[in-house]
Amino acid sequence: MLDSIASGVAAMCFISFILLIPPFLWHCRCKNVPVICLLVWLMFLDLNGFINVVIWGGDNFYQAWDGKGWCDVTALLEVGSNVGKICAITALALNLYMILSAKNPEYTQNTSWKKLVIDLSICLITPIFIMSTSFIVQISRYDIIKYSGCMMIFSETDATIGLQYIWGVIWSVPALILCSLTLVTFFQKRKDANDILLCTNSGLNLKRFARLLIFCILVIIAMVPIATYHFYQKASGEVAKFVWSEVHSWAWGLPLYLDYGMLPLYSRFINFALSVITFLLFGLGADAVEMYREILAKCYIKLPSKNVKENAVVYEPNEMKTLTNKSNFSDNSPLSNAPTMHEFESRYASVLAEFDIAESPQAGPSSPPGAKKVGLPAAYDTQLQELMRDRAKSGDFSFKFEVRQV
């Protein structure tokens, strides 16, 4: 039976996992490898935290399942996730800086193999190395902590500092430098940032770039101080010399059941905060809402479009216009001053009147005697009107007046 603390932690981890699903799907569409790696780590930690607290969150947790097999895998992945999150945010900061500096166009494209290899190398090589070498400095196979579940316990030796604790600090330095450079470059080029993002084919606009930069800064603020403090705490304490026989004793394979209260749960609260921030930044934007609509449409659930009236085009016999008080294009767009169908018809009629060309080949009864008018066949005029209306419906229509006087 779970106590109140375990129930609260389980609910928090489950909500965190659900909140990360929409941003994860969106970044998979955008092929943003660093953010995908970071979200995978966070989703794993949230799901693993939920399962562990359900199994080992009661007062009799020491009588629960011993976790063989499950703990061997999840505890190892949790060790890699600690530095994996910092590596992923370093790769994201590098991507943002390269896009904004526009020094290497090949690197800024999501379809570039060079960019993919660099991103995966930064995000995965160090975590894989840490997980591969953790066996060397483990003093036990794993231990089971109340509320936290499976956890690896490392020896207090110099080898542990070199193989485990130092990597978070090492990757914190380039993460801070790249994030700072990106922030400074963004403010220096803020007037041209939108044009740079468009020219580099990065798939980002100014809002998306700003959200990624804010996300990068917040994750660094959360992760770097923890990694630095953890390394300082371990390095400043008593550090013994590594001896294999002392670390891997006869009791190495026996898991211990320990109760440290809520102290080990600080990482769960940090992951929960990061999950909420991620959802607020990437799960509530216009792009995410459009993705929700597409998913619901595939499930045969149709929602009314919020901007249907703003973008509706109404056709009338004498008028073609968009129901909005503002132009749908920027001031610099060549279509911002494009005439409506009604304005075009007025210009067409005024040009005919200026050159004294009648709309019919027959002169009217009020025509002054001796006036010479060049008639435009009615069939041609009708065909031209129909052509103009058909082209205007498609949205791509340009016109040119050419009047010849015989």
Side-chain angles (χ1 to χ4, degrees), residues 226-243:
I226 295 175
T228 305
Y229 174 76
H230 194 55
F231 170 76
Y232 173 77
Q233 185 184 32
K234 298 297 182 181
S236 61
E238 184 177 354
V239 179
K241 186 177 180 180
F242 176 79
V243 178

Side-chain angles (χ1 to χ4, degrees), residues 181-369:
L181 289 174
T182 305
L183 194 61
V184 172
T185 307
F186 179 75
F187 281 106
Q188 290 177 346
K189 301 181 178 181
R190 60 185 180 276
K191 295 182 180 180
D192 302 323
N194 202 14
D195 295 332
I196 294 174
L197 296 175
L198 181 62
C199 295
T200 53
N201 294 325
S202 61
L204 299 175
N205 54 28
L206 197 57
K207 290 184 179 180
R208 294 179 187 175
F209 184 88
R211 286 199 296 265
L212 287 172
L213 182 57
I214 293 172
F215 177 68
C216 184
I217 294 172
L218 293 177
V219 174
I220 288 177
I221 291 175
M223 297 303 303
V224 170
I226 295 175
T228 305
Y229 174 76
H230 194 55
F231 170 76
Y232 173 77
Q233 185 184 32
K234 298 297 182 181
S236 61
E238 184 177 354
V239 179
K241 186 177 180 180
F242 176 79
V243 178
W244 179 272
S245 60
E246 294 180 0
V247 174
H248 296 264
S249 63
W250 62 270
W252 187 89
L254 300 177
L256 300 177
Y257 291 81
L258 305 173
D259 185 1
Y260 293 124
M262 294 185 62
L263 182 61
L265 293 177
Y266 74 92
S267 60
R268 307 296 185 198
F269 292 106
I270 294 175
N271 293 332
F272 174 72
L274 292 177
S275 301
V276 173
I277 292 173
T278 303
F279 178 76
L280 293 177
L281 287 175
F282 303 111
L284 298 178
D287 299 327
V289 172
E290 184 63 26
M291 182 185 68
Y292 302 152
R293 293 182 183 276
E294 293 178 3
I295 294 175
L296 292 176
K298 292 180 179 179
C299 299
Y300 301 100
I301 301 175
K302 293 185 178 180
L303 296 179
S305 180
K306 184 178 179 180
N307 298 323
V308 169
K309 186 175 181 180
E310 296 178 1
N311 298 327
V313 177
V314 177
Y315 171 74
E316 297 179 0
N318 295 324
E319 187 174 8
M320 173 74 69
K321 64 180 180 179
T322 303
L323 294 182
T324 177
N325 294 329
K326 297 181 179 180
S327 173
N328 293 329
F329 305 94
S330 62
D331 295 337
N332 296 327
S333 173
L335 298 177
S336 59
N337 298 321
T340 63
M341 192 65 193
H342 181 68
E343 294 173 349
F344 171 73
E345 290 176 351
S346 300
R347 296 183 188 179
Y348 174 73
S350 63
V351 171
L352 293 182
E354 182 178 353
F355 287 90
D356 199 18
I357 300 176
E359 296 184 359
S360 173
Q362 298 178 355
S366 60
S367 301

Side-chain angles (χ1 to χ4, degrees), residues 80-95:
S81 68
N82 294 328
V83 70
K85 291 181 288 187
I86 301 180
C87 293
I89 210 65
T90 303
L92 176 60
L94 176 62
N95 285 351

Side-chain angles (χ1 to χ4, degrees), residues 12 126 183 193 227 251 316 370 394 398:
M12 180 184 66
T126 304
L183 194 61
E316 297 179 0
S394 64
S398 61

Side-chain angles (χ1 to χ4, degrees), residues 67-137:
K68 290 183 179 180
W70 169 263
C71 288
D72 292 318
V73 176
T74 58
L76 189 64
L77 290 174
E78 192 159 348
V79 170
S81 68
N82 294 328
V83 70
K85 291 181 288 187
I86 301 180
C87 293
I89 210 65
T90 303
L92 176 60
L94 176 62
N95 285 351
L96 296 179
Y97 176 70
M98 294 297 290
I99 290 172
L100 201 58
S101 61
K103 294 180 179 179
N104 192 344
E106 182 182 358
Y107 187 81
T108 60
Q109 299 177 5
N110 289 331
T111 57
S112 173
W113 281 100
K114 179 181 178 180
K115 179 178 180 297
L116 179 61
V117 171
I118 293 176
D119 287 342
L120 291 177
S121 299
I122 295 175
C123 293
L124 299 179
I125 288 180
T126 304
I128 291 174
F129 170 80
I130 290 177
M131 290 187 290
S132 301
T133 58
S134 62
F135 172 79
I136 299 174
V137 293

